[in-house]
Amino acid sequence: KPKKAWHRYRRASGDRQSCSDHCSSASINASIQNAKMHGSVEIMATKPDEPQHNPLRSQDSTASSDDERAPLAEPTEDWQSSRKTFGVALLAVLNQIAFGYDVGAVSQCLQPIERTFRLTQLQTGFVTSALNYFAAAGALMVSGALLDRYGRRKALIAAAWLLIAGGIAVAAANSFEALVIGRLLQGLGVGCSWSASGIYVTEIAPSKLRGSLVALVDVAINLGIIVGYCAAFLVDATQLGRSFSIAPWRVSMGLSALPSLVFMLFVISLPESPRWLIKRSRPIAAKRSLQRLARSEASDADIDAALASLGETVDETSSWTEATLSPEGGYAALLGVVQQLTGTEAILYFAPTVLPGGSKRDKFLGNVGVGSAKFIGELLASYMADSETALLGRRTLTIGGSFGVCVGLAIFAKFSEDNSALPLLAAALSWTMFTFSLGPGPFSIVFVNEVVPTRLRAKSSAWSCFLNRITSASVALSFLPLSTAYSASSVFALYACVAFGATVFYAKTLPNTVGVSLEQLHGEGRVDAGPASP
């Protein structure tokens, strides 16, 4: 059955040279050969159309020839420590808490910032939305340049320094221009961190936990949003900083640097991505990274088998043209855009506007309610991301979550002009954010990093993040003008139609990647030949 070109994954073609042909270290070659002699790993040329078993799983676990996506058997031995990997993933997403905190804090600090610098309406809007535009630039220029050349770990470190410098610059700003410079530094850090953290966690996570761990990127953002709401409200309520002649909003904005400072304190425990090291012809360093993720009882043969399963040790990178115009890169970019077209970013920024409250406390509680619904959805999504049951798993949750967004937006569009329906409207917005966070929110970044091979992943993910942030900022900027020109009801009806289209798109194109290694997805194991069946 023919498939559209941008839906297809690349299959392996021809015989592949064994990993030992490319390893620069004789000791690594000998270890891999020893692993092969003891049956720890099997490296052999296969026909592209034949499914291949996961080398990290038991020898008898092969996919059914009738269904390429049949679940693999559980491994008899698990060399990788779930506890260590979870700890490393948590550390890698700390910078995303800083991004979420900024989103939450800015919504509470915008009015005092406006008064301090006597901003015009245009300047106020720019301060709010500029972060996303700068983040788009950060993803494309900073992250894209660093990820392939210097590695995932150094890109995360660069993001942390940018977020620290940006938070301090915003807190200390004495003019609108200085404020914009601080937002620029923060935005570059956000874009760099967004791309780097998703790629890094994707590449260190075991297949059985990959969806749950990569979803932590979005969980961290939403945790930061809630913390930002609460911290800014409490700082303002207690007038913290006044005794030192410091405006409370400066304290709130300065606190955004704390998560990145914590990251820098513990960054020494963050290993480099072994997959990146393999692609840069550094097998010895890759083995050290695997050892830092392994169980204490894992044997040398287990580590050697895991190393061999990562593919060839060849210094291999891609051009921007290949990464963005390849079928995989184009599909990843489309996933990034579709995620933000449904207007959820507008809900996050403008919840107090579409649900006006009588006091600052009412607006704060409204923000926290919407943010909490989003955060709960993220937690549930992370928990169910790797389920292999028919009604769960990230593909099903993404499709179902997108349809839930459509329903919530349609309800809001129907009753948005009925002043007596405020409880229903609040519930509809919370439902919209809950279902978005149950599927499209956290899993778009999972699929973006799964559908492209390692040599394309850095640039393709950076391009997808760039388009995602541009779309997000454009949707948020257009919300108020469109609502004024037409009505909030019409705008939300438009978003509902877009969400329905996104649901159809996800149902027709998303692959089933649960329990499948990255190497299997791209020609070194079981291959999904095209879009999975709904």
Side-chain angles (χ1 to χ4, degrees):
K1 182 179 179 179
K3 306 288 183 181
K4 290 185 179 179
W6 51 270
H7 289 177
R8 301 181 64 86
Y9 290 103
R10 293 185 175 180
R11 296 174 178 271
S13 59
D15 293 343
R16 302 178 66 90
Q17 291 180 313
S18 68
C19 178
S20 59
D21 291 337
H22 299 280
C23 290
S24 59
S25 166
S27 61
I28 294 295
N29 291 341
S31 298
I32 294 176
Q33 293 299 326
N34 180 59
K36 291 167 66 179
M37 291 174 61
H38 288 84
S40 299
V41 63
E42 182 180 357
I43 304 176
M44 54 188 292
T46 60
K47 296 180 181 179
D49 291 328
E50 290 181 354
Q52 186 181 28
H53 73 277
N54 183 342
L56 298 184
R57 294 176 181 259
S58 59
Q59 291 291 334
D60 59 348
S61 58
T62 57
S64 166
S65 59
D66 293 329
D67 182 5
E68 289 184 305
R69 295 178 295 275
L72 299 175
E74 287 299 314
T76 54
E77 290 185 0
D78 189 359
W79 66 272
Q80 189 167 357
S81 169
S82 298
R83 180 181 59 81
K84 291 180 181 178
T85 306
F86 181 73
V88 168
L90 281 180
L91 179 59
V93 303
L94 274 178
N95 288 328
Q96 296 302 88
I97 295 180
F99 169 41
Y101 178 93
D102 181 86
V103 172
V106 162
S107 69
Q108 303 292 317
C109 297
L110 201 55
Q111 288 183 348
I113 291 175
E114 188 177 3
R115 289 194 299 267
T116 300
F117 299 109
R118 299 178 180 178
L119 302 181
T120 64
Q121 187 177 16
L122 180 62
Q123 289 174 324
T124 301
F126 184 76
V127 167
T128 305
S129 60
L131 188 72
N132 277 320
Y133 287 114
F134 292 146
L140 202 59
M141 295 187 297
V142 181
S143 180
L146 293 175
L147 283 167
D148 272 337
R149 180 172 297 182
Y150 299 108
R152 297 16 175 167
R153 182 176 182 272
K154 289 182 179 178
L156 286 170
I157 293 173
W161 282 121
L162 286 168
L163 287 166
I164 292 169
I168 294 173
V170 169
N174 57 6
S175 66
F176 172 70
E177 292 75 16
L179 188 65
V180 171
I181 291 174
R183 298 296 279 171
L184 170 63
L185 292 172
Q186 285 181 313
L188 293 176
V190 166
C192 184
S193 173
W194 197 317
S195 292
S197 58
I199 292 173
Y200 179 82
V201 178
T202 297
E203 293 183 348
I204 66 160
S207 302
K208 66 179 183 179
L209 296 175
R210 189 171 59 240
S212 296
L213 293 180
V214 179
L216 290 176
V217 174
D218 227 48
V219 171
I221 294 173
N222 286 281
L223 175 61
I225 290 172
I226 295 176
V227 172
Y229 284 150
C230 297
F233 180 79
L234 291 174
V235 168
D236 182 67
T238 59
Q239 292 294 291
L240 188 64
R242 286 293 185 193
S243 57
F244 299 98
S245 300
I246 300 175
W249 72 262
R250 295 185 183 274
V251 176
S252 298
M253 297 304 295
L255 288 174
S256 67
L258 276 181
S260 296
L261 285 170
V262 174
F263 171 84
M264 293 304 301
L265 288 176
F266 295 98
V267 72
I268 192 172
S269 62
L270 196 73
E272 181 54 271
S273 162
R275 285 182 167 90
W276 178 80
L277 291 168
I278 283 291
K279 294 303 178 185
R280 301 298 289 183
S281 296
R282 296 172 60 186
I284 296 177
K287 183 174 181 178
R288 285 198 295 266
S289 288
L290 291 173
Q291 287 171 333
R292 294 176 67 177
L293 296 171
R295 293 178 181 271
S296 56
E297 61 269 22
S299 66
D300 238 14
D302 292 330
I303 306 301
D304 292 334
L307 178 66
S309 74
L310 297 183
E312 303 128 323
T313 51
V314 54
D315 195 346
E316 186 179 36
T317 56
S318 63
S319 66
W320 278 104
T321 301
E322 184 182 11
T324 56
L325 299 182
S326 65
E328 301 94 338
Y331 184 53
L334 197 56
L335 286 172
V337 171
V338 170
Q339 185 208 40
Q340 290 298 326
L341 281 177
T342 55
T344 53
E345 197 89 358
I347 294 174
L348 201 61
Y349 284 120
F350 300 111
T353 302
V354 295
L355 287 175
S359 65
K360 183 183 294 187
R361 179 177 176 274
D362 293 333
K363 294 181 179 181
F364 164 70
L365 292 177
N367 278 335
V368 171
V370 172
S372 297
K374 197 171 189 299
F375 182 62
I376 293 170
E378 298 283 356
L379 290 178
L380 290 175
S382 180
Y383 179 76
M384 297 185 290
D386 294 294
S387 172
E388 295 188 5
T389 60
L391 296 178
L392 300 176
R394 48 188 172 271
R395 182 178 184 275
T396 304
L397 289 173
T398 301
I399 298 169
S402 181
F403 183 72
V405 170
C406 176
V407 172
L409 292 172
I411 292 174
F412 191 92
K414 176 69 174 177
F415 297 98
S416 60
E417 297 179 4
D418 185 354
N419 292 332
S420 64
L422 285 179
L424 176 62
L425 295 177
L429 287 187
S430 297
W431 169 259
T432 299
M433 298 311 299
F434 172 76
T435 52
F436 175 79
S437 298
L438 197 61
F443 295 140
S444 290
I445 192 172
V446 177
F447 285 114
V448 162
N449 287 296
E450 286 181 329
V451 300
V452 291
T454 301
R455 67 187 184 86
L456 300 177
R457 189 170 295 125
K459 292 183 176 68
S460 292
S461 179
W463 177 240
S464 177
C465 181
F466 170 81
L467 294 176
N468 178 278
R469 291 296 87 201
I470 289 292
T471 306
S472 170
S474 300
V475 169
L477 272 180
S478 65
F479 177 78
L480 289 178
L482 287 175
S483 297
T484 302
Y486 301 98
S487 66
S489 175
S490 299
V491 175
F492 278 94
L494 174 63
Y495 290 160
C497 293
V498 173
F500 180 78
T503 303
V504 175
F505 167 74
Y506 290 138
K508 286 185 173 293
T509 67
L510 285 181
N512 182 10
T513 59
V514 172
V516 186
S517 74
L518 297 177
E519 287 66 41
Q520 289 175 317
L521 284 171
H522 301 292
E524 296 178 4
R526 185 180 67 192
V527 181
D528 238 346
S533 301

